[in-house]
Amino acid sequence: MGDWWATFKQSRYFPASVLVVILSAGAGLFAGSYTYAMASPTPHHLPVAVVGVTAETVRGKAFVAGLEKSLEASLVLRFYPTYAEARQAIEEQRVFAVFVVRGADVNMDVSSASGASVAQLLTEESPKVATRVGVRLTVRDVKPLQRADPRGLAIFYITLAAVIIGFTGAAQLSANAADLNAGERIAFTALYAALGAFAIVAIVDWLLGALDLPVPESWLILALTMFTTGMVFTMFNTFLGRWAMLPTWGLMVLLGNPSSGGAVSWPLLPSPLGAIGRWLPPGASVNAQHTAVYFRGHQSLMPFLVLGAWALASCVVFLIWRRRHPGGRPRDHE
């Protein structure tokens, strides 16, 4: 048995067999991660704004309690003295809807741009609850999605493209440009990130008209995303060689993309994914792009800090241990 195993490990069939096992497991994990995150989205804690003390009337309480029961979730009520302040909270993405309760009348303003899946859920469930508790409900969408993107998925798709091309580009550099030194490898990663991001913007906005993008900001976000994921692969490639795609794919695709909030808004994600998604490059990229497109003037620094931290850490690790990279060259050639 021992001799057979030793012979098998030295044969050309061993890496192929390992790949068969890995790819089989990867197929199941890939399907499972996306199904877990997206198949049956359920709200957990949904922040909403409430205007005025009239929200604490009997009918107001009955409506909120009925909506929580219908959604099987807890509404996080944030009270604002004026409607203008509540709308500002939507613009700053601190709440997903505004409730204005006046006796038996409830006005509910949803924001599809804040989360299409959340707005759809509220729009579907609220009229049923209003009928049960005897409330006259008025619903309107105060922050709709762009007409060419009615489901709000275009940002998720362009981010997915940036993430995958980012690390597959680094893999191709490793395989086909092995003679690059460390500085050159980082420079070429930045170059294809900048050009690839421009291509995404040009095709999605100018050619297809699928999204009206703020070109400089969207270009920067996509380029930073591609560079970050490329350098994350390069970092793993430094230590794991040909197996670097495994942790990169796991981190970016199996974990990062389903938890990014791009396809399913974060209040509807399973709690673990909702908590970690914004700290991974795909989630940070979706957050920054989403704000750039729909909430201009309210951009947060945090997504850029997350992407920058991943990029910087990956570059530093790669530079320190660059001799271990498959493309590392003797010092006198650098």
Side-chain angles (χ1 to χ4, degrees):
M1 176 64 179
D3 292 340
W4 175 87
W5 177 249
T7 302
F8 176 64
K9 285 185 66 176
Q10 297 300 317
S11 74
R12 64 181 182 275
Y13 302 113
F14 179 71
S17 299
V18 171
L19 281 174
V20 167
V21 174
I22 291 173
L23 291 172
S24 300
L29 289 172
F30 183 74
S33 65
Y34 279 73
T35 301
Y36 174 65
M38 302 177 187
S40 183
T42 303
H44 302 283
H45 299 285
L46 187 59
V48 297
V50 178
V51 178
V53 295
T54 54
E56 298 186 4
T57 64
V58 174
R59 290 187 184 275
K61 288 182 178 179
F63 176 73
V64 170
L67 190 56
E68 287 182 323
K69 183 177 180 180
S70 180
L71 296 175
E72 296 183 353
S74 173
L75 295 180
V76 181
L77 303 181
R78 297 178 178 175
F79 291 86
Y80 294 89
T82 66
Y83 178 76
E85 291 177 86
R87 277 298 306 271
Q88 182 68 14
I90 284 184
E91 294 292 333
E92 294 173 356
Q93 301 182 74
R94 290 185 279 117
V95 298
F96 286 82
V98 176
F99 292 95
V100 180
V101 182
R102 297 187 180 93
D105 296 315
V106 175
N107 295 331
M108 183 180 73
D109 290 351
V110 298
S111 171
S112 292
S114 301
S117 48
V118 173
Q120 180 182 357
L121 192 63
L122 287 172
T123 302
E124 289 175 352
E125 296 298 324
S126 295
K128 303 174 187 176
V129 175
T131 300
R132 286 201 302 267
V133 301
V135 162
R136 291 185 295 272
L137 178 67
T138 301
V139 179
R140 63 174 181 168
D141 192 342
V142 295
K143 199 78 174 177
L145 294 163
Q146 293 185 17
R147 183 173 299 179
D149 184 31
R151 301 187 64 187
L153 294 176
I155 289 175
F156 176 68
Y157 293 146
I158 65 175
T159 302
L160 181 64
V163 167
I164 292 179
I165 296 301
F167 66 73
T168 55
Q172 289 302 306
L173 279 182
S174 179
N176 299 302
D179 289 339
L180 294 175
N181 64 32
E184 293 166 345
R185 190 170 300 280
I186 293 174
F188 273 92
T189 302
L191 180 60
Y192 78 68
L195 293 178
F198 181 79
I200 293 174
V201 170
I203 291 174
V204 171
D205 188 342
W206 301 338
L207 181 62
L208 299 178
L211 275 178
D212 179 15
L213 296 170
V215 173
E217 190 173 0
S218 289
W219 184 6
L220 172 63
I221 294 166
L222 291 168
L224 183 55
T225 301
M226 291 181 71
F227 178 76
T228 298
T229 58
M231 289 312 303
V232 167
F233 173 86
T234 303
M235 175 183 65
F236 286 132
N237 198 207
T238 301
F239 295 102
L240 301 177
R242 61 185 178 182
W243 302 110
M245 187 59 73
L246 294 179
T248 307
W249 182 268
L251 185 67
M252 299 297 172
V253 178
L254 294 185
L255 186 60
N257 282 325
S259 65
S260 67
V264 176
S265 301
W266 66 262
L268 305 185
L269 289 171
S271 295
L273 293 183
I276 66 175
R278 66 197 71 187
W279 301 105
L280 298 177
S285 182
V286 165
N287 286 344
Q289 196 71 252
H290 181 250
T291 303
V293 172
Y294 286 110
F295 300 93
R296 301 180 188 184
H298 297 276
Q299 186 62 268
S300 170
L301 185 61
M302 184 56 65
F304 295 93
L305 292 177
V306 172
L307 288 169
W310 278 96
L312 179 61
S314 298
C315 287
V316 169
V317 170
F318 166 57
L319 288 171
I320 292 175
W321 284 282
R322 61 187 180 276
R323 300 299 172 194
R324 300 185 58 172
H325 190 275
R329 297 193 300 173
R331 185 179 298 274
D332 56 7
H333 286 85
E334 293 191 355

PDB file of all heavy atoms in Angstrom, residues 65 91 117 137 141 155 179 184 209 213 218 252 263 300 324 332:
ATOM      1  N   ALA A  65     -46.053  46.443  14.443  1.00  0.00           N
ATOM      2  CA  ALA A  65     -46.025  45.087  14.997  1.00  0.00           C
ATOM      3  C   ALA A  65     -46.494  44.070  13.961  1.00  0.00           C
ATOM      4  O   ALA A  65     -45.911  42.987  13.833  1.00  0.00           O
ATOM      5  CB  ALA A  65     -46.906  45.018  16.243  1.00  0.00           C
ATOM      6  N   GLU A  91     -30.724  59.153   2.129  1.00  0.00           N
ATOM      7  CA  GLU A  91     -29.606  59.549   1.282  1.00  0.00           C
ATOM      8  C   GLU A  91     -28.274  59.067   1.849  1.00  0.00           C
ATOM      9  O   GLU A  91     -27.355  58.732   1.096  1.00  0.00           O
ATOM     10  CB  GLU A  91     -29.576  61.071   1.114  1.00  0.00           C
ATOM     11  CG  GLU A  91     -30.748  61.647   0.353  1.00  0.00           C
ATOM     12  CD  GLU A  91     -30.744  61.242  -1.112  1.00  0.00           C
ATOM     13  OE1 GLU A  91     -29.649  60.982  -1.662  1.00  0.00           O
ATOM     14  OE2 GLU A  91     -31.833  61.175  -1.724  1.00  0.00           O
ATOM     15  N   SER A 117     -34.313  44.491  -3.222  1.00  0.00           N
ATOM     16  CA  SER A 117     -34.971  43.344  -2.600  1.00  0.00           C
ATOM     17  C   SER A 117     -35.726  43.755  -1.339  1.00  0.00           C
ATOM     18  O   SER A 117     -36.822  43.260  -1.063  1.00  0.00           O
ATOM     19  CB  SER A 117     -33.949  42.250  -2.282  1.00  0.00           C
ATOM     20  OG  SER A 117     -32.814  42.787  -1.629  1.00  0.00           O
ATOM     21  N   LEU A 137     -52.949  52.911   3.758  1.00  0.00           N
ATOM     22  CA  LEU A 137     -51.521  52.946   3.423  1.00  0.00           C
ATOM     23  C   LEU A 137     -51.294  53.574   2.056  1.00  0.00           C
ATOM     24  O   LEU A 137     -51.968  53.237   1.080  1.00  0.00           O
ATOM     25  CB  LEU A 137     -50.948  51.523   3.432  1.00  0.00           C
ATOM     26  CG  LEU A 137     -49.466  51.391   3.060  1.00  0.00           C
ATOM     27  CD1 LEU A 137     -48.581  52.023   4.120  1.00  0.00           C
ATOM     28  CD2 LEU A 137     -49.099  49.918   2.853  1.00  0.00           C
ATOM     29  N   ASP A 141     -42.136  55.098  -4.133  1.00  0.00           N
ATOM     30  CA  ASP A 141     -40.690  54.863  -4.228  1.00  0.00           C
ATOM     31  C   ASP A 141     -40.010  56.210  -4.436  1.00  0.00           C
ATOM     32  O   ASP A 141     -40.124  56.816  -5.502  1.00  0.00           O
ATOM     33  CB  ASP A 141     -40.387  53.920  -5.397  1.00  0.00           C
ATOM     34  CG  ASP A 141     -38.946  53.407  -5.376  1.00  0.00           C
ATOM     35  OD1 ASP A 141     -38.115  54.015  -4.690  1.00  0.00           O
ATOM     36  OD2 ASP A 141     -38.683  52.394  -6.055  1.00  0.00           O
ATOM     37  N   ILE A 155     -24.855  46.791 -10.942  1.00  0.00           N
ATOM     38  CA  ILE A 155     -23.675  47.089 -10.127  1.00  0.00           C
ATOM     39  C   ILE A 155     -23.027  45.798  -9.639  1.00  0.00           C
ATOM     40  O   ILE A 155     -21.792  45.674  -9.618  1.00  0.00           O
ATOM     41  CB  ILE A 155     -24.063  48.001  -8.942  1.00  0.00           C
ATOM     42  CG1 ILE A 155     -24.387  49.406  -9.456  1.00  0.00           C
ATOM     43  CG2 ILE A 155     -22.942  48.062  -7.894  1.00  0.00           C
ATOM     44  CD1 ILE A 155     -24.890  50.352  -8.392  1.00  0.00           C
ATOM     45  N   ASP A 179       8.994  36.346 -16.010  1.00  0.00           N
ATOM     46  CA  ASP A 179      10.250  37.066 -15.856  1.00  0.00           C
ATOM     47  C   ASP A 179      10.097  38.470 -15.266  1.00  0.00           C
ATOM     48  O   ASP A 179      11.095  39.154 -15.046  1.00  0.00           O
ATOM     49  CB  ASP A 179      10.951  37.187 -17.220  1.00  0.00           C
ATOM     50  CG  ASP A 179      11.486  35.852 -17.699  1.00  0.00           C
ATOM     51  OD1 ASP A 179      11.683  34.961 -16.844  1.00  0.00           O
ATOM     52  OD2 ASP A 179      11.696  35.699 -18.913  1.00  0.00           O
ATOM     53  N   GLU A 184       7.739  45.378 -11.432  1.00  0.00           N
ATOM     54  CA  GLU A 184       7.098  45.281 -12.738  1.00  0.00           C
ATOM     55  C   GLU A 184       5.768  44.540 -12.652  1.00  0.00           C
ATOM     56  O   GLU A 184       4.792  44.904 -13.312  1.00  0.00           O
ATOM     57  CB  GLU A 184       8.025  44.564 -13.718  1.00  0.00           C
ATOM     58  CG  GLU A 184       9.279  45.362 -14.054  1.00  0.00           C
ATOM     59  CD  GLU A 184      10.342  44.527 -14.736  1.00  0.00           C
ATOM     60  OE1 GLU A 184      10.241  43.278 -14.709  1.00  0.00           O
ATOM     61  OE2 GLU A 184      11.288  45.125 -15.284  1.00  0.00           O
ATOM     62  N   GLY A 209     -25.656  51.472 -22.355  1.00  0.00           N
ATOM     63  CA  GLY A 209     -26.578  52.361 -21.655  1.00  0.00           C
ATOM     64  C   GLY A 209     -27.298  51.693 -20.505  1.00  0.00           C
ATOM     65  O   GLY A 209     -28.401  52.100 -20.122  1.00  0.00           O
ATOM     66  N   LEU A 213     -23.306  56.011 -15.236  1.00  0.00           N
ATOM     67  CA  LEU A 213     -22.239  55.979 -14.241  1.00  0.00           C
ATOM     68  C   LEU A 213     -21.548  57.330 -14.109  1.00  0.00           C
ATOM     69  O   LEU A 213     -21.358  58.028 -15.121  1.00  0.00           O
ATOM     70  CB  LEU A 213     -21.185  54.928 -14.622  1.00  0.00           C
ATOM     71  CG  LEU A 213     -21.635  53.473 -14.663  1.00  0.00           C
ATOM     72  CD1 LEU A 213     -20.548  52.599 -15.279  1.00  0.00           C
ATOM     73  CD2 LEU A 213     -21.981  52.973 -13.267  1.00  0.00           C
ATOM     74  N   SER A 218     -16.592  55.836 -10.806  1.00  0.00           N
ATOM     75  CA  SER A 218     -16.818  54.416 -11.077  1.00  0.00           C
ATOM     76  C   SER A 218     -15.560  53.761 -11.630  1.00  0.00           C
ATOM     77  O   SER A 218     -15.231  52.619 -11.286  1.00  0.00           O
ATOM     78  CB  SER A 218     -17.973  54.242 -12.067  1.00  0.00           C
ATOM     79  OG  SER A 218     -19.206  54.557 -11.465  1.00  0.00           O
ATOM     80  N   MET A 252     -12.898  35.446  -2.609  1.00  0.00           N
ATOM     81  CA  MET A 252     -13.541  36.440  -3.463  1.00  0.00           C
ATOM     82  C   MET A 252     -14.892  35.984  -4.023  1.00  0.00           C
ATOM     83  O   MET A 252     -15.838  36.773  -4.091  1.00  0.00           O
ATOM     84  CB  MET A 252     -12.620  36.813  -4.636  1.00  0.00           C
ATOM     85  CG  MET A 252     -11.313  37.409  -4.208  1.00  0.00           C
ATOM     86  SD  MET A 252     -11.537  38.985  -3.321  1.00  0.00           S
ATOM     87  CE  MET A 252      -9.858  39.258  -2.755  1.00  0.00           C
ATOM     88  N   ALA A 263     -26.454  41.486  -4.989  1.00  0.00           N
ATOM     89  CA  ALA A 263     -27.625  40.773  -5.504  1.00  0.00           C
ATOM     90  C   ALA A 263     -28.760  40.750  -4.489  1.00  0.00           C
ATOM     91  O   ALA A 263     -29.931  40.819  -4.853  1.00  0.00           O
ATOM     92  CB  ALA A 263     -27.237  39.347  -5.888  1.00  0.00           C
ATOM     93  N   SER A 300     -18.883  57.377   1.199  1.00  0.00           N
ATOM     94  CA  SER A 300     -18.193  57.089   2.457  1.00  0.00           C
ATOM     95  C   SER A 300     -16.751  56.697   2.174  1.00  0.00           C
ATOM     96  O   SER A 300     -16.436  56.093   1.136  1.00  0.00           O
ATOM     97  CB  SER A 300     -18.906  55.948   3.197  1.00  0.00           C
ATOM     98  OG  SER A 300     -18.139  55.494   4.289  1.00  0.00           O
ATOM     99  N   ARG A 324       9.836  33.952  -3.038  1.00  0.00           N
ATOM    100  CA  ARG A 324       9.082  32.704  -3.035  1.00  0.00           C
ATOM    101  C   ARG A 324       8.063  32.650  -4.161  1.00  0.00           C
ATOM    102  O   ARG A 324       7.477  31.599  -4.415  1.00  0.00           O
ATOM    103  CB  ARG A 324       8.370  32.526  -1.689  1.00  0.00           C
ATOM    104  CG  ARG A 324       9.316  32.476  -0.504  1.00  0.00           C
ATOM    105  CD  ARG A 324       8.584  32.190   0.785  1.00  0.00           C
ATOM    106  NE  ARG A 324       7.846  30.940   0.716  1.00  0.00           N
ATOM    107  CZ  ARG A 324       7.232  30.373   1.756  1.00  0.00           C
ATOM    108  NH1 ARG A 324       7.284  30.970   2.939  1.00  0.00           N
ATOM    109  NH2 ARG A 324       6.570  29.252   1.619  1.00  0.00           N
ATOM    110  N   ASP A 332      20.247  40.084  -8.987  1.00  0.00           N
ATOM    111  CA  ASP A 332      21.022  40.853  -9.939  1.00  0.00           C
ATOM    112  C   ASP A 332      20.298  41.084 -11.260  1.00  0.00           C
ATOM    113  O   ASP A 332      20.765  41.811 -12.133  1.00  0.00           O
ATOM    114  CB  ASP A 332      22.364  40.163 -10.224  1.00  0.00           C
ATOM    115  CG  ASP A 332      22.185  38.726 -10.715  1.00  0.00           C
ATOM    116  OD1 ASP A 332      21.032  38.314 -10.949  1.00  0.00           O
ATOM    117  OD2 ASP A 332      23.205  38.038 -10.875  1.00  0.00           O
TER     118      ASP A 332
END
